[in-house]
Amino acid sequence: MSTFNQPLTLAIQRFDRTSVLHTGAVSIQGVQVLHVPPGVGVSGVIQGIFDAAEMPLAHYAFLKDVGDPFTAIPVFPDRLFLQQYVYTRPDAGIQSLGEVRGRRVLVPMYYMTAALWHRAMLKEDYGILPHEVEWYATSAERDPRMCLPEGVKVVLSRGPHLGVERLLDGTVDCLMTEGTPRLPDRERQRVVRVHRDVRELQREYYRKTGFHCIVHLIVIRKEVIAKRPALPEELCAGFDQAKACAYRDLQNERLTGLPLMRSYLDETVELFGEDPWPYGLEKNRKELDQFLAYAHEQGLTKQRLRPDDLFDDPSKTFQFQAKMI
């Protein structure tokens, strides 16, 4: 391993599966782990402030498509079931996602990773194509080189990231986002989920596809790997150990304030298996390939990228070991 006068920097959010990297209970030699809010790691690694960082999958696919000097490891610190984050107002007249054709729909950014997954579900489940929706966004795209596909228009309506304010003020009829908006008590009756039974819908989606939608992965500047070729595998090992610690802690259901935690843990293992939050290329190949097909189809990438195009070679075959049981 090369010796550095200063540690390399890894900028990531703090989740249960990464927390011991932040506390130092699991360490990666010569790497300083920094806790950053969403988005900060992306801009920092692109500008060279950080050596490696958590990045949205869609943004990284775009960078690979245009040939920017980054690579990644198959570690996915953030995943979501998106069905729970589709909202409307009771007076908007939307009882099903099949009724959003021709309606005003807001996403935080058109090419945000969650938005690509949302649009894919719209097409596959209801036959609704992107150009058939009036799109709104609370933020401009992260990269000015990103171009909208022909026939698609997006109205920029700036506001807080999740966008519930634009739903409440009547700017849009539906919100497709990536988190649960916080609402004052007086407004809670004015926002409802479009999918009424998301619990079963999300489970059925997983049974059908095997997908727990990947949102983020870990990206590394290529110039850093040129100086320290072992870094991708070292990061894989560190993230694997951190996830193993999270799995172990979760087995003590009394560590959380959720009264039904034990039954939820048992159900999770029954549905997802011994590694419910999988890292590694092969375990995620089908999902990554499908996402890259969506990215090309929706105009984010000019090339039809493949999963192998995304990752540093040694990390493709890294054997992750963490298990829930």
Side-chain angles (χ1 to χ4, degrees):
M1 182 187 300
S2 301
T3 301
F4 294 86
N5 294 326
Q6 293 183 335
L8 300 178
T9 51
L10 168 64
I12 56 176
Q13 296 183 76
R14 184 166 182 160
F15 300 110
D16 64 347
R17 49 208 169 269
T18 61
S19 63
V20 292
L21 292 171
H22 291 284
T23 64
V26 168
S27 63
I28 304 168
Q29 186 175 352
V31 175
Q32 180 183 8
V33 178
L34 305 174
H35 178 208
V36 296
V40 173
V42 177
S43 58
V45 76
I46 289 174
Q47 296 168 18
I49 298 170
F50 306 132
D51 300 299
E54 183 179 341
M55 181 179 285
L57 176 57
H59 195 158
Y60 176 61
F62 176 79
L63 295 181
K64 292 298 290 185
D65 186 59
V66 298
D68 284 3
F70 300 94
T71 189
I73 59 174
V75 166
F76 312 107
D78 201 7
R79 311 174 83 121
L80 293 170
F81 283 114
L82 277 304
Q83 294 89 342
Q84 63 191 312
Y85 302 126
V86 183
Y87 299 95
T88 188
R89 295 186 317 278
D91 62 359
I94 296 174
Q95 302 298 318
S96 149
L97 265 189
E99 298 174 348
V100 303
R101 183 180 278 109
R103 304 300 295 272
R104 300 167 299 168
V105 178
L106 183 140
V107 291
M109 289 173 281
Y110 187 79
Y111 280 134
M112 186 181 71
T113 305
L116 266 78
W117 283 114
H118 279 302
R119 287 191 295 273
M121 294 176 192
L122 265 184
K123 179 184 177 183
E124 294 190 358
D125 295 341
Y126 302 97
I128 299 175
L129 301 177
H131 70 270
E132 297 180 297
V133 173
E134 293 185 38
W135 295 103
Y136 285 69
T138 56
S139 300
E141 300 306 320
R142 293 185 185 276
D143 193 309
R145 297 173 294 177
M146 293 176 176
C147 298
L148 295 174
E150 185 177 353
V152 171
K153 295 182 180 179
V154 178
V155 177
L156 187 59
S157 183
R158 293 191 181 276
H161 180 71
L162 293 182
V164 71
E165 293 79 7
R166 300 289 81 82
L167 183 62
L168 288 169
D169 68 16
T171 301
V172 298
D173 309 304
C174 180
L175 176 65
M176 294 182 175
T177 190
E178 60 171 354
T180 302
R182 294 184 178 182
L183 294 167
D185 290 344
R186 66 181 182 278
E187 302 285 12
R188 288 181 182 174
Q189 300 304 314
R190 298 187 58 215
V191 176
V192 295
R193 284 192 174 104
V194 172
H195 299 298
R196 298 302 192 260
D197 187 6
V198 293
R199 184 182 187 279
E200 183 52 35
L201 182 64
Q202 291 173 164
R203 286 157 175 76
E204 184 56 35
Y205 175 78
Y206 181 77
R207 294 185 190 102
K208 177 182 177 182
T209 65
F211 299 168
H212 179 191
C213 298
I214 294 170
V215 180
H216 292 173
L217 78 173
I218 300 299
V219 171
I220 312 168
R221 296 180 63 83
K222 283 188 175 180
E223 64 188 42
V224 177
I225 297 178
K227 298 175 183 177
R228 184 169 167 174
L231 180 63
E233 292 175 286
E234 292 168 346
L235 291 178
C236 286
F239 276 99
D240 193 33
Q241 292 175 48
K243 189 177 70 167
C245 291
Y247 281 174
R248 185 175 62 248
D249 288 345
L250 281 170
Q251 288 303 308
N252 180 359
E253 65 272 16
R254 295 169 70 185
L255 286 177
T256 79
L258 301 175
L260 301 178
M261 188 64 177
R262 183 72 260 165
S263 61
Y264 181 70
L265 286 168
D266 292 343
E267 182 196 13
T268 297
V269 173
E270 181 180 356
L271 180 59
F272 295 90
E274 63 184 12
D275 183 13
W277 198 283
Y279 297 158
L281 173 57
E282 292 309 321
K283 288 184 178 179
N284 293 278
R285 180 179 291 278
K286 180 182 176 183
E287 181 174 334
L288 288 164
D289 192 55
Q290 185 62 74
F291 179 84
L292 293 171
Y294 294 149
H296 181 60
E297 181 181 277
Q298 294 184 30
L300 176 66
T301 63
K302 291 183 171 58
Q303 307 171 70
R304 171 52 166 99
L305 298 171
R306 302 294 175 181
D308 290 89
D309 299 330
L310 302 181
F311 303 110
D312 179 78
D313 280 341
S315 73
K316 293 177 187 178
T317 56
F318 186 89
Q319 297 299 305
F320 292 91
Q321 302 296 325
K323 294 180 174 60
M324 181 73 82
I325 53 177

